[in-house]
Amino acid sequence: MSDFLSRRRFLAGAAALACPKKGLAAPAAATTLHITEQRLTIDGKTAPALLINGSLPAPLLRWREGTDMQVTVHNHLDVLTSVHWHGLRVPSSQDGVPGLSYAGIAPRSTFTYHLPLRQSGTYWYHSHVAGQEPRGMYGPLILDPAGSDPLPPVARDYIIFLSTWTDVLPPWIVSNLKMDGDYYNFRQRSVASLPMEARRQGGMINALEDRLMWSGMRMSATDISDTSGMILSYLLNGQANMPGWSGLFRKGERVRLRFINGSAMTLYDVRLPGLPMQVVEADGNAVQPFEVDEFRIGVGETYVVDVVPEQEKPYTIFVQSEDRTGYARGTLTPRLGWYGPVPPMDPRPVRTMVDMGMSMGPGMKTGMSMPGPDKADSALREIDDPGPPPLSVENQWTDPHPTNRTASPGDGLEHTGRRVLNYTMLRALHPQPAPLPTREIVMHLTGNMERYIWGFNGRKFSQSGPIRLLRNERVRFRVINDTMMEHPLHLHGLWSQLENGQGEACPLKHTIISQPGSVMRFLVTADTPGRWAWHCHLAYHMDTGMFRVVEVL
């Protein structure tokens, strides 16, 4: 093992093993970050990595609410770079999106961010230049509250940073996907799987008709993730799963796990077999605690859970990729070197007519029956609805009957026998009365898998103008997913209040998974002026068109 690799492992462990609240009485007002390129080998895959302060993940930044931070970034690369503060409500000029909120950090130059911290919670930071984040430019960020902590006290506090690693560089991945949208999908349906499908679908004729329909639409029911374990190693705190990262506990202690999904393209399903999790925070905002056995975390999302191990034994942190082509693994253990068993992966999901907006599924409502008070729609002055975009090279499909899937945990998690998180379970810890929207903006998520083109309303970013909001305007976004894939939508600079049927306790989020064939609504108060990015956080969806600008005037 090289000296650098040893140092990387040490720094990753130091950043992620524990999150001590050091220096909070007199927090430092300045931080320095160095961005470099170094060759890195993880899980037998060697590639040039882009690292922040020489570690992967980047070092934990732990600041305090109410502090005005200065962060000086030294770009040692020969190309432009940036740092975006994911989920932080900062001025537009400090948000870190080159070409939108600032010019970026030029090669071999230095830039200083000025960040007023007016919130608390678990967040992260990463590059917002295409192709850089997947190569290692990401790290955890915690903002401790200035006053009383809304979360319960714990004995131990750990970061669980989820990501991926590959020796195939991002431009090659995108090129391969544009050549063939199924390039990395090695688990196509075959003759051997037909009898099982017939049993599931009530007969061989139904199974054959289903296959013919998918073939006619030129889509694959097994295309769950564009990239897969064929090229990816799934990482937990920068480590592959053998043996994986470990965190210590004593029996009966309350342990906090701060999950951050900083992967490029992978949605993860998280559980600790035999150990229930109490969800206490979502996307930096405290929620009314509730207990689950498992949750899906989209790219860009964060969840904070507390666990209380009651036995003197190791517990496996088991993190499956949504497409079940691999997993990340960690361990909570009474002593280092003692590892828990790894459970078998669940069966792979297969897309159905629900994902194409053509059928009803469990826990779902029709698109016309959305959660929330009936009076919400009556207050609208204007509905900006261009209607379903026409089929074109940018738009392969339009859902005839999209459904509200906020009560669904997601494909592959419906019938596991485990208690799985869904969005209707999220209730803000401190509900706040919110004004009703006066305008609704309807957006369709569209794409063409064959040519690997993604966009909003059948248009790529290069074909679209900004979405303009007036200062302090209250707007509802109605998002209809006309694609057969999940899209974790991240809105910069503004909170997205998900309408999940919880009334005034509807949660605030910065990233929301739009499920296939679904319609969802979220509310935005345009309280911060500037130009803000709104995009799918799947890196290669964003890079190939699913990106818009929201302009608050």
mmCIF file of all heavy atoms in Angstrom, residues 16 37 44 52 126 157 159 172 191 220-221 248 279 281-282 323 332-333 345 352 362-363 385 395 411 438 452 458:
data_model
loop_
_atom_site.group_PDB
_atom_site.id
_atom_site.type_symbol
_atom_site.label_atom_id
_atom_site.label_comp_id
_atom_site.label_asym_id
_atom_site.label_seq_id
_atom_site.Cartn_x
_atom_site.Cartn_y
_atom_site.Cartn_z
ATOM 1 N N ALA A 16 -14.714 10.240 9.129
ATOM 2 C CA ALA A 16 -16.011 9.577 9.137
ATOM 3 C C ALA A 16 -16.281 8.744 10.375
ATOM 4 O O ALA A 16 -17.419 8.444 10.675
ATOM 5 C CB ALA A 16 -16.124 8.672 7.895
ATOM 6 N N GLU A 37 -5.165 16.594 -8.044
ATOM 7 C CA GLU A 37 -5.410 15.349 -8.775
ATOM 8 C C GLU A 37 -4.333 14.346 -8.395
ATOM 9 O O GLU A 37 -3.142 14.657 -8.441
ATOM 10 C CB GLU A 37 -5.395 15.582 -10.279
ATOM 11 C CG GLU A 37 -5.616 14.300 -11.085
ATOM 12 C CD GLU A 37 -5.709 14.526 -12.581
ATOM 13 O OE1 GLU A 37 -6.189 15.596 -12.993
ATOM 14 O OE2 GLU A 37 -5.307 13.624 -13.335
ATOM 15 N N GLY A 44 -9.336 -2.449 -6.273
ATOM 16 C CA GLY A 44 -8.656 -2.911 -7.476
ATOM 17 C C GLY A 44 -8.831 -2.041 -8.694
ATOM 18 O O GLY A 44 -8.336 -2.380 -9.771
ATOM 19 N N ILE A 52 -10.140 16.640 -2.303
ATOM 20 C CA ILE A 52 -10.121 17.851 -1.490
ATOM 21 C C ILE A 52 -9.327 17.545 -0.231
ATOM 22 O O ILE A 52 -9.677 16.633 0.531
ATOM 23 C CB ILE A 52 -11.542 18.317 -1.139
ATOM 24 C CG1 ILE A 52 -12.329 18.626 -2.423
ATOM 25 C CG2 ILE A 52 -11.509 19.542 -0.225
ATOM 26 C CD1 ILE A 52 -13.783 18.992 -2.184
ATOM 27 N N HIS A 126 -19.616 19.576 -2.679
ATOM 28 C CA HIS A 126 -19.068 18.846 -3.819
ATOM 29 C C HIS A 126 -18.828 19.812 -4.973
ATOM 30 O O HIS A 126 -19.334 20.936 -4.993
ATOM 31 C CB HIS A 126 -20.022 17.734 -4.258
ATOM 32 C CG HIS A 126 -21.403 18.195 -4.652
ATOM 33 N ND1 HIS A 126 -21.709 18.664 -5.914
ATOM 34 C CD2 HIS A 126 -22.561 18.262 -3.942
ATOM 35 C CE1 HIS A 126 -22.988 18.983 -5.971
ATOM 36 N NE2 HIS A 126 -23.545 18.755 -4.781
ATOM 37 N N ASP A 157 -21.593 9.663 17.467
ATOM 38 C CA ASP A 157 -22.124 10.388 16.312
ATOM 39 C C ASP A 157 -21.233 10.074 15.114
ATOM 40 O O ASP A 157 -20.061 10.449 15.094
ATOM 41 C CB ASP A 157 -22.116 11.890 16.623
ATOM 42 C CG ASP A 157 -22.852 12.722 15.592
ATOM 43 O OD1 ASP A 157 -23.056 12.237 14.477
ATOM 44 O OD2 ASP A 157 -23.216 13.871 15.903
ATOM 45 N N ILE A 159 -20.643 9.789 10.758
ATOM 46 C CA ILE A 159 -20.998 10.063 9.360
ATOM 47 C C ILE A 159 -20.961 8.749 8.594
ATOM 48 O O ILE A 159 -20.011 7.968 8.721
ATOM 49 C CB ILE A 159 -20.013 11.055 8.714
ATOM 50 C CG1 ILE A 159 -20.157 12.446 9.317
ATOM 51 C CG2 ILE A 159 -20.205 11.095 7.197
ATOM 52 C CD1 ILE A 159 -21.385 13.184 8.866
ATOM 53 N N TRP A 172 -16.279 8.895 -20.792
ATOM 54 C CA TRP A 172 -16.435 7.601 -21.454
ATOM 55 C C TRP A 172 -17.766 6.958 -21.082
ATOM 56 O O TRP A 172 -18.420 6.314 -21.924
ATOM 57 C CB TRP A 172 -15.271 6.678 -21.067
ATOM 58 C CG TRP A 172 -14.009 6.997 -21.786
ATOM 59 C CD1 TRP A 172 -12.922 7.671 -21.308
ATOM 60 C CD2 TRP A 172 -13.699 6.682 -23.159
ATOM 61 N NE1 TRP A 172 -11.954 7.793 -22.273
ATOM 62 C CE2 TRP A 172 -12.398 7.192 -23.420
ATOM 63 C CE3 TRP A 172 -14.389 6.029 -24.169
ATOM 64 C CZ2 TRP A 172 -11.800 7.056 -24.664
ATOM 65 C CZ3 TRP A 172 -13.779 5.892 -25.411
ATOM 66 C CH2 TRP A 172 -12.494 6.400 -25.648
ATOM 67 N N VAL A 191 -35.088 -15.970 -21.870
ATOM 68 C CA VAL A 191 -36.040 -17.083 -21.948
ATOM 69 C C VAL A 191 -36.116 -17.791 -20.603
ATOM 70 O O VAL A 191 -37.188 -18.216 -20.152
ATOM 71 C CB VAL A 191 -35.614 -18.060 -23.058
ATOM 72 C CG1 VAL A 191 -36.500 -19.312 -23.031
ATOM 73 C CG2 VAL A 191 -35.693 -17.384 -24.421
ATOM 74 N N SER A 220 -36.454 -1.054 -21.674
ATOM 75 C CA SER A 220 -36.131 -2.264 -20.952
ATOM 76 C C SER A 220 -36.692 -2.192 -19.539
ATOM 77 O O SER A 220 -36.415 -1.236 -18.809
ATOM 78 C CB SER A 220 -34.610 -2.474 -20.896
ATOM 79 O OG SER A 220 -34.290 -3.511 -20.009
ATOM 80 N N ALA A 221 -37.454 -3.211 -19.154
ATOM 81 C CA ALA A 221 -38.028 -3.248 -17.806
ATOM 82 C C ALA A 221 -36.975 -3.502 -16.744
ATOM 83 O O ALA A 221 -37.243 -3.338 -15.553
ATOM 84 C CB ALA A 221 -39.105 -4.333 -17.728
ATOM 85 N N LEU A 248 -17.479 2.004 16.555
ATOM 86 C CA LEU A 248 -17.624 1.333 17.845
ATOM 87 C C LEU A 248 -18.875 1.774 18.594
ATOM 88 O O LEU A 248 -19.381 2.880 18.404
ATOM 89 C CB LEU A 248 -16.394 1.611 18.710
ATOM 90 C CG LEU A 248 -15.066 1.028 18.216
ATOM 91 C CD1 LEU A 248 -13.907 1.566 19.048
ATOM 92 C CD2 LEU A 248 -15.096 -0.495 18.262
ATOM 93 N N VAL A 279 -35.753 7.575 12.653
ATOM 94 C CA VAL A 279 -35.444 8.705 11.766
ATOM 95 C C VAL A 279 -35.713 9.999 12.518
ATOM 96 O O VAL A 279 -36.812 10.209 13.051
ATOM 97 C CB VAL A 279 -36.298 8.640 10.487
ATOM 98 C CG1 VAL A 279 -35.968 9.805 9.565
ATOM 99 C CG2 VAL A 279 -36.083 7.310 9.771
ATOM 100 N N GLU A 281 -34.044 13.203 11.277
ATOM 101 C CA GLU A 281 -33.756 14.361 10.431
ATOM 102 C C GLU A 281 -33.744 13.932 8.974
ATOM 103 O O GLU A 281 -33.312 12.830 8.638
ATOM 104 C CB GLU A 281 -32.396 14.974 10.807
ATOM 105 C CG GLU A 281 -32.030 16.229 10.023
ATOM 106 C CD GLU A 281 -30.591 16.675 10.292
ATOM 107 O OE1 GLU A 281 -30.331 17.191 11.402
ATOM 108 O OE2 GLU A 281 -29.742 16.481 9.401
ATOM 109 N N ALA A 282 -34.254 14.807 8.103
ATOM 110 C CA ALA A 282 -34.225 14.568 6.660
ATOM 111 C C ALA A 282 -33.777 15.849 5.968
ATOM 112 O O ALA A 282 -34.357 16.916 6.186
ATOM 113 C CB ALA A 282 -35.596 14.137 6.147
ATOM 114 N N ASP A 323 -30.453 -1.340 -8.040
ATOM 115 C CA ASP A 323 -30.553 -2.365 -9.087
ATOM 116 C C ASP A 323 -30.028 -3.720 -8.625
ATOM 117 O O ASP A 323 -30.030 -4.682 -9.397
ATOM 118 C CB ASP A 323 -29.830 -1.916 -10.352
ATOM 119 C CG ASP A 323 -28.319 -1.768 -10.164
ATOM 120 O OD1 ASP A 323 -27.832 -1.960 -9.027
ATOM 121 O OD2 ASP A 323 -27.623 -1.454 -11.154
ATOM 122 N N LEU A 332 -21.310 -1.650 12.812
ATOM 123 C CA LEU A 332 -21.296 -1.131 14.174
ATOM 124 C C LEU A 332 -20.897 -2.296 15.072
ATOM 125 O O LEU A 332 -21.534 -3.358 15.027
ATOM 126 C CB LEU A 332 -22.667 -0.597 14.582
ATOM 127 C CG LEU A 332 -23.097 0.751 14.005
ATOM 128 C CD1 LEU A 332 -24.465 1.137 14.553
ATOM 129 C CD2 LEU A 332 -22.086 1.836 14.315
ATOM 130 N N THR A 333 -19.863 -2.111 15.881
ATOM 131 C CA THR A 333 -19.293 -3.253 16.574
ATOM 132 C C THR A 333 -18.786 -2.881 17.961
ATOM 133 O O THR A 333 -18.327 -1.744 18.165
ATOM 134 C CB THR A 333 -18.146 -3.858 15.731
ATOM 135 O OG1 THR A 333 -17.610 -5.003 16.385
ATOM 136 C CG2 THR A 333 -17.046 -2.842 15.491
ATOM 137 N N MET A 345 -28.643 -10.171 -0.990
ATOM 138 C CA MET A 345 -29.337 -9.049 -1.596
ATOM 139 C C MET A 345 -30.755 -9.440 -1.974
ATOM 140 O O MET A 345 -31.039 -10.605 -2.266
ATOM 141 C CB MET A 345 -28.577 -8.539 -2.825
ATOM 142 C CG MET A 345 -27.330 -7.746 -2.469
ATOM 143 S SD MET A 345 -26.654 -6.843 -3.877
ATOM 144 C CE MET A 345 -26.079 -8.172 -4.895
ATOM 145 N N THR A 352 -42.640 -1.850 -14.011
ATOM 146 C CA THR A 352 -43.985 -2.315 -14.342
ATOM 147 C C THR A 352 -44.769 -1.198 -15.008
ATOM 148 O O THR A 352 -44.247 -0.094 -15.238
ATOM 149 C CB THR A 352 -44.718 -2.770 -13.068
ATOM 150 O OG1 THR A 352 -44.977 -1.615 -12.248
ATOM 151 C CG2 THR A 352 -43.891 -3.778 -12.281
ATOM 152 N N PRO A 362 -49.889 -0.259 -5.098
ATOM 153 C CA PRO A 362 -50.232 -0.139 -3.680
ATOM 154 C C PRO A 362 -49.810 1.203 -3.121
ATOM 155 O O PRO A 362 -48.747 1.721 -3.424
ATOM 156 C CB PRO A 362 -49.445 -1.290 -3.034
ATOM 157 C CG PRO A 362 -48.351 -1.610 -3.997
ATOM 158 C CD PRO A 362 -48.905 -1.322 -5.353
ATOM 159 N N GLY A 363 -50.679 1.786 -2.306
ATOM 160 C CA GLY A 363 -50.356 3.051 -1.641
ATOM 161 C C GLY A 363 -50.350 4.241 -2.561
ATOM 162 O O GLY A 363 -49.796 5.281 -2.243
ATOM 163 N N ASP A 385 -49.345 25.523 -17.318
ATOM 164 C CA ASP A 385 -49.316 24.129 -17.737
ATOM 165 C C ASP A 385 -49.283 24.058 -19.255
ATOM 166 O O ASP A 385 -50.303 24.251 -19.919
ATOM 167 C CB ASP A 385 -50.545 23.390 -17.190
ATOM 168 C CG ASP A 385 -50.508 21.905 -17.524
ATOM 169 O OD1 ASP A 385 -49.524 21.447 -18.129
ATOM 170 O OD2 ASP A 385 -51.478 21.206 -17.167
ATOM 171 N N ASN A 395 -38.073 13.351 -26.147
ATOM 172 C CA ASN A 395 -39.123 12.832 -25.274
ATOM 173 C C ASN A 395 -39.661 11.524 -25.845
ATOM 174 O O ASN A 395 -40.339 11.511 -26.863
ATOM 175 C CB ASN A 395 -40.267 13.847 -25.136
ATOM 176 C CG ASN A 395 -41.330 13.373 -24.179
ATOM 177 O OD1 ASN A 395 -41.029 12.752 -23.173
ATOM 178 N ND2 ASN A 395 -42.580 13.650 -24.495
ATOM 179 N N ASP A 411 -39.649 1.245 -6.008
ATOM 180 C CA ASP A 411 -39.592 -0.053 -6.677
ATOM 181 C C ASP A 411 -38.635 -0.992 -5.948
ATOM 182 O O ASP A 411 -37.519 -0.616 -5.598
ATOM 183 C CB ASP A 411 -39.132 0.113 -8.121
ATOM 184 C CG ASP A 411 -40.211 0.726 -9.004
ATOM 185 O OD1 ASP A 411 -41.351 0.874 -8.527
ATOM 186 O OD2 ASP A 411 -39.907 1.058 -10.167
ATOM 187 N N THR A 438 -50.037 30.981 -4.913
ATOM 188 C CA THR A 438 -50.899 31.725 -5.829
ATOM 189 C C THR A 438 -50.660 31.332 -7.283
ATOM 190 O O THR A 438 -51.356 31.809 -8.174
ATOM 191 C CB THR A 438 -50.660 33.234 -5.690
ATOM 192 O OG1 THR A 438 -49.278 33.516 -5.935
ATOM 193 C CG2 THR A 438 -51.031 33.713 -4.289
ATOM 194 N N TYR A 452 -29.950 8.807 -24.890
ATOM 195 C CA TYR A 452 -29.506 9.334 -23.603
ATOM 196 C C TYR A 452 -29.549 10.858 -23.568
ATOM 197 O O TYR A 452 -28.553 11.564 -23.433
ATOM 198 C CB TYR A 452 -28.098 8.839 -23.245
ATOM 199 C CG TYR A 452 -27.924 8.743 -21.746
ATOM 200 C CD1 TYR A 452 -28.553 7.735 -21.024
ATOM 201 C CD2 TYR A 452 -27.171 9.666 -21.043
ATOM 202 C CE1 TYR A 452 -28.430 7.662 -19.653
ATOM 203 C CE2 TYR A 452 -27.039 9.599 -19.671
ATOM 204 C CZ TYR A 452 -27.664 8.589 -18.977
ATOM 205 O OH TYR A 452 -27.548 8.510 -17.615
ATOM 206 N N GLY A 458 -39.619 18.130 -22.298
ATOM 207 C CA GLY A 458 -39.179 17.722 -23.630
ATOM 208 C C GLY A 458 -38.073 18.581 -24.212
ATOM 209 O O GLY A 458 -37.824 18.523 -25.416
#
